[in-house]
Amino acid sequence: MKINENYLNLSNNYLFADIAKRVKAFKAESPMADVISLGIGDVTQPLVPAVVEALHKAADEMSMAAGFRGYGPEQGYDFLRDAIVEHDFHARGIDIETDEIFVSDGAKSDTGNFQELLSADCVVAVTDPVYPVYVDSNLMAGRHIVKLPCTAENQFAPALPKKRVDVIYLCYPNNPTGTVLTKDQLKKWVDYALAVDALIFYDAAYEAFIQHDDIPHSIYEIPGAKQCAVEFHSYSKTAGFTGVRCGYTVVPEEVILKSKHGNEVVLNSLWNRRQCTKFNGTSYLSQRAAEAIYTPEGSAQIRQVIDYYMDNARVMREELTDMGFIVYGGEDAPYLWVHTPSLTPSPGLTPNPSPVGEGDFADEGSSWAFFDWMLRSAHVVCTPGAGFGPSGEGYVRLTAFGTHENTERALRRIARKL
Ligand code: MLT
């Protein structure tokens, strides 16, 4: 029996599992500590009334023989796919058809699974720092990965790869840096993909948080993208579905790849084939819940929750900047990317008794050390930038998904400890 050796190339733990383990160890050591998490991007606000009502209604339907549903369509129910097409695309002047929408249990599964359709020798480009799922899922398949540094110097907008790549993962608004690409910047990528015959995997999980009118919500706002891009969407952050589970992927009919014999393969058909074999559809309840966010009441209600989180982002940006931190992101995204060496702790700071991460705070650049300091001194969890890739070193990510109260408490504690 032989294992897939590629798994041995993965780091020991998935980033957020690693952080959870460290936090658990700290809590065991300091049971009285009231730890506030601004680490994993998990939402804190309850489901909105329109969603709750839809869930109740769907549960009632399922409780009666006439309304009961078993396996649903692998691609998702048309009531949801049609609502997606109308509200997320047609309303923005983007021509996407129902058959191009595949409903799933969330963008994590689809961004992780989609690479299966590609040959193992495809060269994959990812931004650095990056959401670890893109890297890990391609490492599992044994692919070569090229990292495109996103730093303050290039305003977190990656440069085109020097050597041709087959696939590019882009996530905008970006996780983890919270920065965005303009239409012109995104067009550069679509033009590149069309010119070199590459495929773009565009993760739009945070598009609902965009505040500025000129920032693209979908890569299909860029001409030509329907020939070269697959787009992933999630309701996790948009509608508080991290526990409900629902998202969708757009695979335009126009994306045509080549087999090794030179035959044309329609990517949409291949993904459909894959899903029918490996996926039994998203639950009826989750899909009815997702449909509810497209009603006038539902969309107004989720907008209020998004505004609530973006209010946190604004307060965090302002207060951290006042404390002397250099802060990026948080304007069109629920993440803030905080430069850790921009502040040195005051001499009165209790030295780290036993650092959980590498090094100690004297090594100002180390994001794991900063994570450790935040946890031990302020009892606040952040995500170390280095966990998202080498260019994340010297940064931590903070999420705006806390409650107002905890966000303000966390900020007060950080300010006190500096
Ligand atoms: C994050 O914190 O980056 C996200 O919550 C992780 C995810 O969406 O899977």
Side-chain angles (χ1 to χ4, degrees):
M1 202 274 289
K2 290 185 183 157
I3 55 149
N4 176 351
E5 291 283 317
N6 296 322
Y7 272 66
L8 304 182
N9 297 327
L10 300 170
S11 55
N12 280 347
N13 288 306
Y14 180 65
L15 174 63
F16 294 106
D18 190 7
I19 291 170
K21 205 168 115 192
R22 288 168 193 246
V23 173
K24 193 171 166 206
F26 173 70
K27 283 184 178 165
E29 230 172 76
S30 315
M32 301 305 282
D34 166 26
V35 175
I36 300 174
S37 177
L38 302 180
I40 188 163
D42 199 0
V43 290
T44 53
Q45 295 306 293
L47 297 172
V48 298
V51 164
V52 175
E53 202 182 305
L55 281 167
H56 282 302
K57 197 165 157 240
D60 286 344
E61 273 181 68
M62 294 280 265
S63 74
M64 291 174 295
F68 176 75
R69 318 251 173 162
Y71 292 127
E74 293 87 349
Q75 306 77 6
Y77 285 101
D78 278 350
F79 62 76
L80 178 57
R81 298 169 90 202
D82 290 343
I84 290 168
V85 163
E86 183 188 336
H87 296 277
D88 289 350
F89 297 100
H90 291 181
R92 294 200 173 109
I94 302 168
D95 178 24
I96 290 288
E97 299 303 321
T98 301
D99 286 348
E100 297 175 310
I101 304 292
F102 292 84
V103 176
S104 71
D105 68 347
K108 184 176 188 174
S109 315
D110 283 1
T111 52
N113 290 330
F114 214 96
Q115 47 75 34
E116 268 183 48
L117 303 191
L118 306 173
S119 137
D121 60 8
C122 280
V123 177
V124 171
V126 297
T127 59
D128 168 27
V130 70
Y131 179 44
V133 172
Y134 318 148
V135 172
D136 284 1
S137 56
N138 280 287
L139 283 177
M140 288 169 182
R143 290 197 187 87
H144 178 62
I145 298 175
V146 174
K147 293 194 169 165
L148 309 171
C150 293
T151 60
E153 286 69 46
N154 61 16
Q155 275 110 53
F156 304 98
L160 295 174
K162 291 198 172 68
K163 280 169 76 176
R164 185 190 171 277
V165 298
D166 299 289
V167 185
I168 305 127
Y169 285 77
L170 294 174
C171 170
Y172 286 96
N174 187 253
N175 178 12
T177 64
T179 55
V180 287
L181 289 187
T182 61
K183 277 193 185 153
D184 284 346
Q185 286 171 317
L186 192 51
K187 181 176 181 307
K188 192 178 77 170
W189 285 98
V190 172
D191 292 348
Y192 171 83
L194 292 171
V196 306
D197 215 2
L199 185 61
I200 297 177
F201 287 151
Y202 194 72
D203 187 347
Y206 300 95
E207 61 82 18
F209 294 84
I210 292 174
Q211 308 289 308
H212 292 92
D213 289 343
D214 50 346
I215 301 299
H217 286 252
S218 163
I219 195 166
Y220 305 119
E221 291 177 42
I222 311 297
K226 278 181 70 186
Q227 281 107 64
C228 64
V230 170
E231 183 166 281
F232 304 97
H233 285 253
S234 164
Y235 296 108
S236 288
K237 318 295 155 69
T238 311
F241 275 30
T242 50
V244 174
R245 307 308 307 149
C246 194
Y248 68 89
T249 293
V250 189
V251 192
E253 295 278 359
E254 288 158 58
V255 183
I256 314 279
L257 304 188
K258 289 261 168 61
S259 75
K260 73 174 177 193
H261 303 296
N263 298 327
E264 294 198 332
V265 181
V266 178
L267 193 64
N268 180 293
S269 311
L270 216 57
W271 182 243
N272 188 46
R273 185 69 186 82
R274 188 263 177 211
Q275 290 296 80
C276 291
T277 300
K278 293 199 176 183
F279 185 56
N280 259 337
T282 309
S283 87
Y284 176 68
L285 276 73
S286 298
Q287 294 191 65
R288 281 294 185 199
E291 181 195 22
I293 73 157
Y294 294 109
T295 60
E297 311 77 58
S299 86
Q301 290 164 4
I302 61 160
R303 181 48 45 204
Q304 269 185 9
V305 181
I306 290 169
D307 290 347
Y308 175 96
Y309 293 134
M310 290 312 286
D311 213 33
N312 280 345
R314 181 187 52 75
V315 171
M316 289 164 81
R317 267 182 72 87
E318 284 170 9
E319 295 198 12
L320 290 165
T321 306
D322 284 350
M323 288 179 220
F325 286 97
I326 299 171
V327 183
Y328 302 94
E331 285 179 301
D332 289 289
Y335 294 127
L336 286 89
W337 193 235
V338 184
H339 191 225
T340 52
S342 55
L343 260 204
T344 322
S346 67
L349 178 75
T350 328
N352 206 334
S354 57
V356 183
E358 309 146 19
D360 61 35
F361 205 81
D363 170 12
E364 291 158 55
S366 164
S367 59
W368 276 107
F370 194 87
F371 161 87
D372 190 49
W373 172 77
M374 284 261 277
L375 179 59
R376 288 175 181 279
S377 304
H379 301 169
V380 173
V381 183
C382 61
T383 309
F388 296 102
S391 298
E393 186 52 285
Y395 291 89
V396 292
R397 190 194 74 175
L398 295 178
T399 92
F401 289 122
T403 60
H404 281 337
E405 194 201 7
N406 275 349
T407 303
E408 275 158 19
R409 284 171 66 225
L411 288 166
R412 278 199 299 273
R413 285 189 199 170
I414 297 168
R416 261 204 316 270
K417 294 294 173 185
L418 288 170

